[in-house]
Amino acid sequence: LGGGHSCALLTDGTVQCWGLNEGGELGNGTKTNSLKPVPVSGLSHVTQLVAGYDFTCAMRDDLSVFCWGMNDRGQLGNGKATDSPVPTPVVW
């Protein structure tokens, strides 16, 4: 469950999100809220999706993981503590 946003994994392997977007939770490169689903930028071949509180992560069919949204506690897994309004790869 997200903290004011929701996301859906579509049958074509893309993701769309809607709701609050203060930290880039919608993944569309903006921080503009949306009352209807918007496509997550540059993300395809997604097989799994999980929404956290103000961030979302997706696993692709090649097992790579991308996250976007608020990152004040490093929740995006990219080694930084700055928000990302677009999917960013998790650094293993």
Side-chain angles (χ1 to χ4, degrees):
L1 298 175
H5 78 293
S6 297
C7 296
L9 172 56
L10 305 181
T11 57
D12 66 358
T14 62
V15 175
Q16 294 195 8
C17 299
W18 59 96
L20 295 179
N21 197 25
E22 296 169 345
E25 297 92 327
L26 303 187
N28 65 345
T30 75
K31 290 193 176 185
T32 303
N33 298 339
S34 180
L35 296 176
K36 60 183 184 176
V38 295
V40 173
S41 299
L43 196 60
S44 61
H45 302 282
V46 174
T47 60
Q48 296 183 42
L49 184 68
V50 62
Y53 194 87
D54 294 328
F55 72 99
T56 302
C57 295
M59 180 182 287
R60 295 175 40 153
D61 59 6
D62 63 1
L63 303 183
S64 59
V65 178
F66 291 79
C67 299
W68 60 94
M70 287 195 176
N71 195 32
D72 57 329
R73 294 184 177 94
Q75 53 270 55
L76 301 186
N78 62 0
K80 301 176 184 177
T82 54
D83 299 345
S84 179
V86 295
T88 182
V90 171
V91 178
W92 300 104

